[in-house]
Amino acid sequence: MRRTFGDTLGWSETGTELFLATVAGWGEEEYLAPSGLPGWTRKHLVAHVAANADALSNLVRWAATGEKTPMYSSPRQRDADIEAGSRKPAAELAAWLDTSAGRLAAGIAGLDDDRWNAEVVTAQGRTVPATEIPWLRSREVCVHAVDLASGVAFTDLPAGFLTALADDIAAKRGGAAGPAVVLAATDTGDRWELPGEGEPVAAGGPLAEVVAYLAGRPHTLTTPDGSLAPALPAWL
């Protein structure tokens, strides 16, 4: 694992600042523009990130008190919150984004060393120590800052975060169906192997493009014959 708890705390803060700065001052026109995620406007995406902060605050509360507090009451509630948020006026949506981010930051700051070791359960059903919460948040804010389609690219994210994210996604994809691919980051020398169907296909490019590919975002990652790397199943 090429990330530490301190790393994830820093990336969570950096990513949150980047996301908030990107949407700062937006009005209805900017919020209603398409995001980089099919079928979602930027309002949907911002509502998702705001709801994620509230959900992770539930896990912080679980760690702090020992009282079981799931991220969401159900997948249906998660989807309903995003849809409702996508219909909020721009100012109201911005206020929710700011408030939820502040609440999560305050909760994280309030956990002591013992409580960071408490176990919580993610929305995907994984039991993890509370130290994973900043990592879960950093993934959301950093990747979705790119998905806002407002000029932020994977190249704007910390290199250490990109490497850790590639490790994380590659590990998750290891047990999923899909093509066998050997990935090489040409600017860092890092490699990842995705087991899958057929003979392994080699693909390489800058680290940021490797991460974009792994995350299912637009990319320029190519194979030795110059064609795009083979499509992968959905990441999450």
Side-chain angles (χ1 to χ4, degrees):
M1 181 183 296
R2 287 182 283 183
R3 58 179 167 90
T4 67
F5 177 51
D7 289 334
T8 62
L9 281 173
W11 297 332
S12 177
E13 293 172 359
T14 297
T16 298
E17 291 171 359
L18 178 62
F19 194 95
L20 293 177
T22 302
V23 304
W26 279 4
E28 287 292 328
E29 182 177 357
E30 290 89 354
Y31 269 113
L32 288 172
S35 75
L37 298 181
W40 270 16
T41 67
R42 288 168 172 169
K43 277 195 174 186
H44 285 92
L45 187 55
V46 171
H48 168 63
V49 171
N52 171 261
D54 286 339
L56 291 177
S57 288
N58 286 342
L59 295 190
V60 171
R61 187 179 308 115
W62 186 343
T65 66
E67 181 180 351
K68 184 177 179 179
T69 316
M71 290 181 67
Y72 304 98
S73 61
S74 69
R76 184 176 300 175
Q77 181 235 324
R78 172 185 175 274
D79 294 342
D81 286 348
I82 293 170
E83 189 58 36
S86 74
R87 296 193 294 270
K88 291 179 182 289
E92 188 175 337
L93 184 58
W96 180 24
L97 178 68
D98 289 341
T99 301
S100 62
R103 185 184 306 115
L104 177 58
I108 285 175
L111 290 181
D112 60 25
D113 290 345
D114 287 340
R115 301 322 303 164
W116 277 118
N117 291 317
E119 290 188 337
V120 296
V121 180
T122 71
Q124 288 75 38
R126 294 188 302 119
T127 299
V128 298
T131 50
E132 281 291 286
I133 294 173
W135 172 242
L136 298 177
R137 183 59 172 173
S138 65
R139 289 191 323 191
E140 292 288 332
V141 289
C142 288
V143 173
H144 288 324
V146 177
D147 292 333
L148 285 169
S150 187
V152 177
F154 281 102
T155 51
D156 297 313
L157 303 178
F161 168 79
L162 293 177
T163 302
L165 184 60
D167 289 346
D168 190 66
I169 301 177
K172 286 181 172 59
R173 287 193 178 282
V181 186
V182 177
L183 299 170
T186 54
D187 51 348
T188 67
D190 291 304
R191 291 171 58 86
W192 296 267
E193 295 186 11
L194 306 182
E197 303 168 356
E199 289 295 317
V201 176
L207 174 61
E209 294 299 319
V210 172
V211 173
Y213 171 69
L214 284 168
R217 270 59 177 181
H219 65 89
T220 61
L221 207 65
T222 57
T223 62
D225 66 5
S227 59
L228 278 179
L232 297 174
W235 163 31
L236 291 176

